Amino acid sequence: MRRILLALCLAMWGTSACAATKEADLGVDFSHAAVKYLMVVENYESAAVDSSSKAQERIDSAHKDMTAAATGDKTSSENVTALFLKIFTAVHIMNVKTYKLTGDRKDVAKDQICISEWKQALQSRSSNQPEICK
């Protein structure tokens, strides 16, 4: 019984190690640029207090840097990830503006958790969209 349990644990460990290497499907340069992009998006709320247009310019500039680092065709994991992040950013900006009108931070708080989860995924070079962000 002990040997079976040990063999099962080793098999599960081996499977998870293989899965972790399969998930690293993003390039280092793109991953760094995407994390920087999310940091700019994360700061939108405080930056928009000073100037909404300047905050948007920073986001657009960071997005250009991220897409410039993307490799492959339009269906590559890097380009698809960049598209997902752009869509998320549009929703986040809308959530911040809604919060400023209503005072309800629920969606902004969820976005902040999503940004944190996404940054972790990108730092491990994974294009998998975190569950909370779907």
Side-chain angles (χ1 to χ4, degrees):
M1 182 70 165
R2 191 175 192 189
R3 288 182 182 167
I4 293 172
L5 184 59
L6 183 60
L8 182 60
C9 287
L10 285 173
M12 289 173 58
W13 176 78
T15 304
S16 66
C18 291
T21 57
K22 284 183 181 177
E23 290 183 23
D25 59 347
L26 301 175
V28 174
D29 293 338
F30 176 81
S31 295
H32 288 306
V35 168
K36 286 179 185 177
Y37 175 73
L38 282 174
M39 291 169 69
V40 172
V41 170
E42 187 174 31
N43 291 327
Y44 174 80
E45 185 178 352
S46 59
V49 170
D50 296 332
S51 171
S52 180
S53 62
K54 285 185 182 178
Q56 187 62 52
E57 286 174 14
R58 286 187 211 125
I59 288 173
D60 292 343
S61 176
H63 186 264
K64 285 179 186 174
D65 293 344
M66 179 179 61
T67 55
T71 59
D73 63 6
K74 291 185 180 194
T75 61
S76 72
S77 57
E78 291 180 357
N79 283 308
V80 171
T81 300
L83 180 61
F84 281 147
L85 290 174
K86 185 169 179 118
I87 293 168
F88 169 77
T89 299
V91 172
H92 176 65
I93 290 170
M94 180 184 65
N95 288 341
V96 169
K97 290 179 179 181
T98 302
Y99 154 66
K100 288 184 179 187
L101 291 172
T102 65
D104 184 4
R105 278 192 68 78
K106 182 182 77 171
D107 291 330
V108 174
K110 182 182 173 193
D111 288 351
Q112 290 171 336
I113 294 168
C114 182
I115 288 169
S116 177
E117 295 284 322
W118 221 325
K119 284 195 289 188
Q120 283 185 318
L122 290 166
Q123 287 169 342
S124 65
R125 296 178 45 209
S126 172
S127 65
N128 291 338
Q129 184 178 10
E131 284 296 317
I132 194 167
C133 303
K134 292 182 179 179

